[in-house]
Amino acid sequence: MLRRLLTQTSSPRRLLSSKTPFFSKPSLSPFSSLPSSPDPPSSASSHVEESGSSAAAGTTISVDRSALFNPPDHSHEPTPDSELVKHLKSVIKFRGGPISVAEYMEEVLTNPRSGYYMNRDVFGAQGDFITSPEVSQMFGEMIGVWTVCLWEQMGKPERVNLIELGPGRGTLMVDLLRGTSKFRNFTESLHIHLVECSPALQKLQHQNLKCTDESSSEKKAISSLAGTPVHWHSTLEEVPSGVPTIIIAHEFYDALPVHQFQKSPRGWCEKMVDVGEDSQFRFVLSPQPTPAALYLVKRSTWATPEEREKLEHVEISPKSMDLTQEIAKRIGSDGGGALIIDYGKDGIISDSLQAIREHKFVNILDDPGSADLSAYVDFPSIKHSAEEASENVSVHGPMTQSQFLGSLGINFRVDALLQNCDDEQAESLRSGYWRLVGDGEAPFWEGPDEQTPIGMGERYLAMAIVNRNQGTPAPFQ
């Protein structure tokens, strides 16, 4: 069956002392400030001094920013505040103090009026970043292979809810449907549910899936690609349950808000966003434990003593934990599985939050709403959250994207496509293939240096959560 999927002909498409207590007694000192909107230095780490009466004089804290690139120089000269900047400043003023990094991140990305994702297409060469589905049609086709294999393990149910979280332009789903079109029993069983909060992206997905609206009050349409009903929802909770379910979360978890904690002489303090005397955003440390501390304590119980010993910073994502538990409960009761592919680590995350604008790393606090914010995905946290939520699910992985796609047969697929394309398409296919499964710069590239394909195969990880009764999913056997 895998070979049938891979070799069916179709034209290629363009392509953070461990003895420091987690929390000490609350300090009455004001918020400890960090350098306002710091730029990542050229060295792998730097030192910043903590101000405030509770900090020992001369105490320094090492900040590991090795995962970030140097952003271009930027200016803090007074400029008119954008609508989102005004909103963020008003929230901080109303609260009488700073907001968490997580709240800042959520507002920047999904504020209904001026959030980064809400009113424009941010993907592709003309956007701020490129995702795997935009690199090559083969990515969506391989996800199609995985869904068909899982559907067969589920017993080929006559109706399946196929849910994609954060579908972007809809490119992955388009390639999935096209790649599985010859498996009519599979495509006829599908009811597609796209979880998307951006009205602008919903319209783009509708267009790319070639949908026609039904005369109904529901937000539902039919995709002419496979005659499949398509529904749109703002959250996963809105998707009907009680039906076998397959969930795809590709580059979704990395955009979920993260809380950042930093070790200080007072114990672990949450990093917050405040407005300085110069009216610019700056990072400060909370003077006392915050609600997110409960998740920090929980996450620490999943870390090894060796991991805890080395940490100076910790990033946690309560929303990721909660979402995973919801997914696990649904799969445990309804059957099916979820596939999560994202860039991250098979370990606790230190300091990874970054901002990307026009394919370049920029300062996190600069011009909020104009750049994408994302953070490494904590895959062990996903695994523990799922297993804690339901005893009826099993978690497999993570494995690298290169291993995942290779085991599903992407090599066979690229060979088949190369038999039916011209020289320009062949170059695009080879470049796309390397970016999906390679590591580092492509050794075969002879074009301009700035266009050298960079492999994502080792930086991206894949994990599956499935109903325990279905056995081990491909290719995690």
Side-chain angles (χ1 to χ4, degrees):
M1 189 276 297
L2 276 173
R3 185 60 62 88
R4 287 179 57 203
L5 276 169
L6 296 168
T7 59
Q8 65 183 55
T9 59
S10 64
S11 298
R13 173 175 58 77
R14 290 280 176 192
L15 320 166
L16 193 310
S17 161
S18 62
K19 297 181 181 178
T20 304
F22 268 94
F23 291 102
S24 57
K25 293 181 181 180
S27 168
L28 297 178
S29 64
F31 288 97
S32 302
S33 63
L34 299 174
S36 176
S37 189
D39 287 336
S42 57
S43 59
S45 65
S46 66
H47 293 79
V48 295
E49 294 190 6
E50 181 187 19
S51 63
S53 60
S54 62
T59 298
T60 60
I61 301 172
S62 177
V63 181
D64 180 10
R65 295 194 177 276
S66 58
L68 298 181
F69 285 72
N70 290 324
D73 292 338
H74 59 277
S75 171
H76 285 298
E77 294 177 2
T79 57
D81 286 346
S82 67
E83 183 176 354
L84 181 58
V85 170
K86 291 177 182 177
H87 171 70
L88 288 166
K89 289 182 177 179
S90 69
V91 171
I92 292 171
K93 181 178 180 180
F94 177 78
R95 298 269 181 88
I99 59 176
S100 68
V101 171
E103 186 173 356
Y104 174 84
M105 185 175 178
E106 187 166 20
E107 287 285 354
V108 167
L109 296 180
T110 60
N111 178 279
R113 291 178 60 87
S114 48
Y116 176 76
Y117 286 117
M118 303 307 287
N119 302 302
R120 60 186 183 274
D121 176 13
V122 298
F123 302 95
Q126 302 306 313
D128 291 315
F129 56 92
I130 299 175
T131 60
S132 294
E134 307 297 334
V135 167
S136 171
Q137 67 183 70
M138 293 182 290
F139 184 82
E141 291 171 347
M142 293 301 102
I143 303 304
V145 170
W146 187 85
T147 57
V148 172
C149 289
L150 182 63
W151 175 73
E152 291 188 340
Q153 282 187 299
M154 293 162 63
K156 302 181 180 180
E158 294 184 358
R159 174 167 177 166
V160 175
N161 280 347
L162 177 57
I163 304 171
E164 184 177 1
L165 306 179
R169 290 171 162 174
T171 306
L172 186 154
M173 190 62 69
V174 169
D175 291 334
L176 183 155
L177 291 176
R178 179 179 45 75
T180 60
S181 60
K182 292 187 178 180
F183 295 84
R184 297 303 303 170
N185 289 341
F186 169 71
T187 57
E188 289 172 1
S189 73
L190 298 179
H191 284 250
I192 298 174
H193 296 267
L194 303 180
V195 178
E196 179 58 71
C197 64
S198 168
L201 290 177
Q202 284 185 5
K203 291 179 181 178
L204 198 53
Q205 294 153 15
H206 186 285
Q207 173 185 323
N208 290 338
L209 284 163
K210 302 187 185 305
C211 289
T212 56
D213 293 322
E214 287 196 334
S215 54
S216 166
S217 58
E218 290 185 67
K219 205 160 192 178
K220 173 184 174 183
I222 299 294
S223 171
S224 62
L225 297 178
T228 310
V230 183
H231 311 254
W232 279 266
H233 313 271
S234 297
T235 64
L236 179 59
E237 294 96 323
E238 296 176 5
V239 181
S241 57
V243 178
T245 297
I246 299 175
I247 300 174
I248 300 170
H250 173 256
E251 290 202 51
F252 182 76
Y253 272 78
D254 70 309
L256 294 178
V258 295
H259 290 262
Q260 294 188 321
F261 289 84
Q262 179 170 312
K263 188 184 291 185
S264 82
R266 293 185 282 112
W268 285 98
C269 300
E270 182 165 4
K271 195 172 173 181
M272 315 287 278
V273 176
D274 200 4
V275 178
E277 294 181 358
D278 58 357
S279 294
Q280 299 298 320
F281 292 114
R282 62 172 183 167
F283 289 117
V284 298
L285 295 181
S286 173
Q288 57 190 10
T290 57
L294 294 176
Y295 286 90
L296 174 62
V297 172
K298 183 176 184 178
R299 179 62 183 90
S300 71
T301 63
W302 299 337
T304 65
E306 292 76 17
E307 284 184 309
R308 292 194 295 265
E309 180 78 23
K310 297 183 295 185
L311 293 175
E312 295 290 336
H313 300 78
V314 172
E315 274 179 2
I316 58 169
S317 177
K319 285 211 168 184
S320 295
M321 297 181 190
D322 294 343
L323 172 65
T324 301
Q325 293 197 333
E326 183 182 352
I327 289 173
K329 289 174 182 177
R330 187 180 289 247
I331 292 170
S333 61
D334 295 345
L339 177 64
I340 300 165
I341 301 180
D342 225 311
Y343 73 96
K345 289 177 57 179
D346 190 9
I348 198 165
I349 307 299
S350 179
D351 185 8
S352 72
L353 182 62
Q354 58 194 21
I356 299 176
R357 182 190 303 127
E358 296 178 354
H359 305 275
K360 297 178 182 178
F361 289 86
V362 297
N363 192 279
I364 296 167
L365 299 180
D366 265 0
D367 194 12
S370 69
D372 178 47
L373 300 184
S374 64
Y376 275 29
V377 175
D378 182 346
F379 280 90
S381 177
I382 294 176
K383 174 182 172 66
H384 287 289
S385 297
E387 293 173 338
E388 183 181 271
S390 175
E391 61 182 11
N392 296 323
V393 302
S394 58
V395 183
H396 305 272
M399 64 168 56
T400 67
Q401 179 171 289
S402 181
Q403 292 172 317
F404 178 80
L405 297 176
S407 298
L408 288 174
I410 193 171
N411 298 340
F412 295 114
R413 185 56 178 153
V414 69
D415 285 342
L417 291 172
L418 286 170
Q419 302 302 315
N420 187 34
C421 63
D422 57 32
D423 290 345
E424 183 179 354
Q425 291 172 325
E427 180 178 316
S428 182
L429 279 169
R430 294 189 185 98
S431 174
Y433 171 79
W434 179 264
R435 294 177 71 176
L436 292 177
V437 305
D439 182 23
E441 296 184 354
F444 58 82
W445 185 250
E446 297 180 353
D449 290 346
E450 65 273 12
Q451 296 178 19
T452 303
I454 306 296
M456 301 184 277
E458 300 298 316
R459 293 186 291 122
Y460 281 67
L461 302 178
M463 175 176 278
I465 304 171
V466 300
N467 188 286
R468 187 176 295 277
N469 296 329
Q470 296 162 194
T472 304
F476 296 89
Q477 295 94 337

